[in-house]
Amino acid sequence: MNYKIDNESRLVFYYSSKTLRGVKRVMDKVAEDVNKVFGITPEFSETESFTDIDDNDSNSIYVGTLGVSSDLPLTSEELDTLKGRKEAYAFLLKEVPGQDKPALVIAGSDKRGTIYGLFHLSELMGVSPWVNMADVRPAKKTELVITDADELISRQPSVKYRGLFINDEWPSFGTWTMKHYGGFTAQMYDNVFELILRLKGNYLWPAMWTSNFSLDGPGLKSAELADEYGIVMSNSHHEPCSRHSEEWDLVRGEDSKYGNAWNFDKNKEGLTNYWRDGLKRNAPFENIITVGMRGERDSEVLGREATLKENIDYLKEVILTQKELIKEVYGDNADEIPMMLAIYKEVEKYYFGDVNTEGLRSWDGLDGITLMLCEDNQGNMRRLPEDGETHNGGFGMYYHFDYHGDPVSYEWVNSTYIPKVCEQMSEAYDKGVRDIWIVNVGDLKPQEFPLSYFFELAYDYEKWSVHSEKPYIRFLDYWTRQQFGGYLPENELARIQTLLDEYTYLSSIRKPECLYPGTLHNFNYGEADRIYKKAKEIRQSCDELEMYILANRLKVIDSALFELVTFPAKVIANHYEMNIAAEKNRVCAKQGRVTANFYAEEVERCHRIEKNLISTYHSIESGKWDGMMLSQHTGFRYWNEEENMYPSRSYIWPADKHRMIVTVPLTGAYSMGGDWTRKPLFLYEYIKPEVNSQTFLIENGGNAELEYKIESNDEWISVEDSEGKLPVFEQIDEKISEKEITVTIDRDKLESLIKADSSNKDDLKVIRKGDTYYVSGSLLISSANKKVTVVVLVACYSEKDRKLSHMVPVVPDEWVGFINAKDFPSAFAEVREPANTGDSIGLAIEADEYDELNDDKDRELKVISPLGKYRCGVKALGNGKASKTDVSYLIRCVEEGDYELTFIIAPSNPITKDNTLRLGITWDGKRYELNLIGKEFVGGDNSNYLWSKDIFAGEHRASITVPCKIGTGRLDVDFIDEGIVLERILVKHAKSKWHKGFLGPKAISE
């Protein structure tokens, strides 16, 4: 059976006279969608009975709701299935007696079910949920054929209440709505309600900084409209009894019946009156009533001087009073009214109590109240229900894509990485958090991508959770096609998916607000250069995508593409470029390198690009989104934007003489080859068996053309451009005075020389350690009377050692001293860029590079990729304790001695009362237990340094030292505590030292 909608036939929506107003509103919106796609205007016809419809000239859609619409053409089995599910819909084709064409039946188990069914039709037509809020215009079609394969009776949503919280809305969202709607009005909220329903959500916490949802409609218009649509309203975690934070200042006073003090001990009667009137005002509407109490403006209620017991007793009295008020206002229906208590910030302490004070957790006064748990405001779960723990009000989760507070606010473009949302929210769901999910989206607009996933996961957990197959990769493809599939070829859709992944990865590992010059080390591991290159590639790819749109005259998706993809990708990439260029500018200036001037101009260029992009965002669609990107986002020096600043710049003049500057980018060591200050430079990455080339830089830092020459007596060393000329630096937009030289070693030739019995072997500078040969060679760079020696240090390992991917390279004792040499104490130390110390010779093992992974009966070991700072992780899913080793790695040591093992995990918080994140480590039969957080660690506590520093680092790490023999050892890792995601392991000989760095060894570049 086929049903067709085309651009030539009549389309009629039939509905009963009792159809709810919200359903009618959505029918109008779906009719607009039909018009956008097919260019036809559907008709509407009210009917008393679906069996009386006699229309053979149109394509008919029957729209109904159980309990509202009678005689829906469904079988008894279909009706029973639908009745057994909340917020579900039937989407079925039915033959109609006496008519040639089948009818499409959209029937909901309730109002929201019907609405979801109607919007499901829009989805089949290719209409995005972001059709209005991100200008995603659907592709035109001549017809849509719905077949038996499209029929379904939808599932009941996985999570009961699924919503968003508009918060931290100034200056961006607030400015936007004031300009376009005159305030936080019902007209504005109409767009938000529609979006939530298109995303299959049903719940909202409205904006609250300077607005009052139930007053600004004007009046109750916003609340009335939400109720029509079926949007369940609530107030945020600190706004009880349907009252809004800002309302209190409007009605408080010494002469007010509500009193003047926001303190229940001092103003019990006034606050009781205040809450009672709020409940009465909003009683006609569907609400989840917030209970409890925090201090004014989202602060602690009694202050830090109050004892834990005093706070707990205070909250008990408040909650009991509020529950009595709910009974008073709602009467016999009171037991059906959902309530919510947010276990947020300090309330968590009151909920759990301590060894001396019983908390609210065991108090029967919380019966029937949903306990809204909260992560740490940075996307990491805190305490979750214990195994088997239940509560007759259920559990909820308050999550963040935006935050205003310590340790740092993040309120600009999307900085949420969906794989983390998947991993963390799946953890919450698996622990029984299934009644309410709400996410703080800040200004809403910048969060389109992660918000779409959040709602999909909440609606259909089995499809999108961490337990499913590659949920993030599938979602990237799904979402990209949903927005742009009707217009773009496969290669451009793939480009968009890459851009979405790359920019959200970069923005999540370090929020824009706390990305600084030097966050990525200018030298170490090449991490700054790699991300600098990646950022430029992202911007170039965006430009190429926009050129494709222009060349193919696809202006219809120009705005949507800019809002959803190229704007956030460009500004994040540009933000990295600006901060990396600023650090390069600082370092080059300190080293006397005139290239500093080039990077100074790069910083300025990036600043201009950012301002132009923001201006464009505010001007597209005739200024539709003007004001939406006003949030400060650069160089935060406190938790908020006060005293923030853009990177500073330095300019230098060339020396008034001949000057050659030779620099090793990976270490920052440099020399100008003077008679008194001459020092050798070292290229020692070749100690790693996979490295065959490394670079150094020659720069003209003087006032005349520089001619250089590179010589070597070692035939296994070769260089490009062994001689050349470098002009004086004159143009700030070109690095013409700098030359990168690549030094390549021929390992085969070197090994042949080592094995040879000829006199050539005597010329080699060789150190033998077991089966490993360490060889040094050199280059001489000369210009005029300046000379710089570059020493090349190479390790040649046995074939057996090289075959193992987890072999630990080692610096021989004879080389440690000069590789790790420090500057001599000097009065000039503060004016010179300090020399780098450490060699960073060691092994980095990504979590998924294991040799053995062991699932257990009640415990699944899941490789999650991509995820986190290092783009992969291994996690134990399930509540069972391991009966055997979780994950194992084989490691090859070429030198005996003590080795340092560093374990890096995601910046999770303990989710149990033990407050530990412990790994069991077994090395060659000896077991160690390692807690990766300190004893004083408190996740989500703004004053806790251990937590705050790891939030900035994007990881927890801890090390142990173990004795190792020459040969292959087995490293077994067990996850003792729940919630741990192992991301990587670093292994090095104890005599070596890791350089500082943000990404570290094998810095991510792809």
Side-chain angles (χ1 to χ4, degrees), residues 40 52 115 222 231 343 353 362 435 474 479 514 607 664 822 838 850 866:
I40 62 173
D52 295 338
I115 289 171
S222 294
I231 298 294
I343 314 298
S362 57
D435 286 85
R474 288 188 293 110
W479 195 79
C514 59
H607 184 260
V664 180
K822 299 181 180 180
Y850 53 82

Side-chain angles (χ1 to χ4, degrees), residues 112 161-166 184-185 188-190 192-193 196 201-208 211-215 220-236 239 241-244 279 281-290 330 337-340 436 438:
R112 285 190 286 272
Y161 297 107
R162 310 165 303 283
L164 61 86
F165 178 21
I166 298 172
F184 293 80
T185 63
M188 181 275 287
Y189 274 114
D190 195 328
V192 178
F193 299 150
I196 291 172
N202 60 6
Y203 185 47
L204 175 67
W205 290 0
M208 43 69 69
S211 60
N212 299 282
F213 181 78
S214 296
L215 302 179
L220 284 171
K221 287 187 180 296
S222 294
E224 292 165 350
L225 183 61
D227 199 60
E228 275 189 26
Y229 273 120
I231 298 294
V232 182
M233 293 303 302
S234 192
N235 294 90
S236 71
E239 300 176 289
C241 295
S242 300
R243 287 292 198 177
H244 312 291
L279 291 169
R281 179 188 64 194
N282 290 78
F285 315 123
E286 190 175 4
N287 300 290
I288 298 175
I289 297 172
T290 302
Y330 286 92
I337 304 303
M339 297 172 285
M340 176 271 289
I436 303 174
I438 194 157

Side-chain angles (χ1 to χ4, degrees), residues 1 124 135 165 215 324 405 566 617 654 751 769 819 821 839:
M1 190 185 312
L124 291 179
D135 307 303
F165 178 21
L215 302 179
E324 285 301 315
T566 59
Y617 197 105
E751 290 177 8
K769 302 282 186 177
I819 289 180
D839 52 59

Side-chain angles (χ1 to χ4, degrees), residues 133-135 445 448 559-565 568 617 620 625:
M133 287 299 286
D135 307 303
K445 269 295 292 171
E448 298 98 337
S559 294
L561 192 71
F562 184 74
E563 294 167 46
L564 298 178
V565 182
Y617 197 105
I620 59 173
W625 305 112

